[in-house]
């Protein structure tokens, strides 16, 4: 298998994984009235980790496991309302040490991968005031998650993150603990 065929196969597998884990919607654009995807917190965290690792591999960088942060928060409506069914959003992030001069190239590779896998670019930059300070922010229209890669702070850190849409834990089995 050629390197190009291997990359294509990896991308198709990653995209299929995204749809299988979060559940693809039947339309290209999800409707806010669609039922919430059902995912356990453990499954959501595993999925988010896989996506950030995929982003890191694409850019040729190594995530630092010591910097993983998984924050589960209740879903909140636009008027501050919450439901009693333990629905949640996961904000998952990990950092990677990357020489600052390489941030624009890493973010460019991640942007190309994300848009190639169906995400919509919502923000992009390579520099601020002529200095490397890179960012790509992309949104998946049917699964409704956000993926971000960006320069973190003033050093050599690059931040990779995934924010899930509002997810509903499975109703069978033990009720997830409240945070």
């Amino acid at each position: 298998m050629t390197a190009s065929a291997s990359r294509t196969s990896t991308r198709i597998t990653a995209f299929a994984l995204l749809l299988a884990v979060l559940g693809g919607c039947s339309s290209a654009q999800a409707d806010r009235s669609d039922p919430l995807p059902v995912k356990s917190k453990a499954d959501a965290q595993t999925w988010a980790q896989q996506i950030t690792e995929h982003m890191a591999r694409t850019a040729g960088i190594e995530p630092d496991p010591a910097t993983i942060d998984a924050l589960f928060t209740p879903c909140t409506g636009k008027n501050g309302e919450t439901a009693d069914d333990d629905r949640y959003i996961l904000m998952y992030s990990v950092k990677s040490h990357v020489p600052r001069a390489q941030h624009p190239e890493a973010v460019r590779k991640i942007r190309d991968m994300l848009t190639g896998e169906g995400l919509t670019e919502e923000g992009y930059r390579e520099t601020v005031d002529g200095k490397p300070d890179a960012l790509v922010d992309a949104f998946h229209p049917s699964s409704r998650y956000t993926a971000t890669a960006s320069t973190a702070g003033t050093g050599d850190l690059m931040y990779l993150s995934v924010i899930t849409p509002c997810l509903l834990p499975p109703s069978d089995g033990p009720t997830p603990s409240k945070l």
Side-chain angles (χ1 to χ4, degrees):
M1 181 180 285
T2 67
S4 177
S6 177
R7 281 191 300 271
T8 300
S9 175
T10 300
R11 287 180 177 164
I12 290 169
T13 301
F15 185 69
L17 177 66
L18 291 176
L19 290 176
V21 172
L22 273 184
C25 298
S26 59
S27 64
Q29 183 69 31
D31 186 317
R32 292 206 179 270
S33 64
D34 287 347
L36 295 178
V38 175
K39 290 283 166 242
S40 72
K41 288 182 177 180
D43 287 347
Q45 185 167 339
T46 297
W47 171 81
Q49 179 179 352
Q50 290 170 342
I51 295 304
T52 57
E53 288 172 352
H54 181 47
M55 292 164 64
R57 277 191 310 275
T58 297
I61 61 179
E62 280 294 318
D64 179 355
T67 65
I68 291 173
D69 186 21
L71 176 65
F72 294 92
T73 63
C75 294
T76 305
K78 69 178 182 178
N79 296 317
E81 67 276 10
T82 58
D84 293 331
D85 58 7
D86 292 325
R87 58 186 68 192
Y88 66 92
I89 292 172
L90 168 60
M91 292 177 273
Y92 180 92
S93 66
V94 64
K95 293 180 180 132
S96 181
H97 293 276
V98 181
R100 187 82 169 212
Q102 293 175 11
H103 286 202
E105 179 184 355
V107 165
R108 200 174 310 122
K109 288 177 180 177
I110 292 169
R111 176 194 63 185
D112 292 347
M113 178 271 296
L114 293 172
T115 58
E117 292 182 5
L119 282 80
T120 302
E121 179 185 315
E122 297 211 322
Y124 183 79
R125 72 168 184 258
E126 293 186 8
T127 61
V128 171
D129 296 330
K131 297 178 184 164
D133 191 348
L135 164 86
V136 63
D137 193 30
F139 177 75
H140 196 280
S142 63
S143 296
R144 300 182 308 221
Y145 70 89
T146 300
T148 301
S150 66
T151 296
T154 58
D156 70 347
L157 288 177
M158 178 157 274
Y159 171 85
L160 305 173
S161 73
V162 171
I163 301 174
T164 68
C166 190
L167 299 171
L168 193 59
S171 60
D172 54 3
T175 303
S177 61
K178 293 187 179 188
L179 298 176

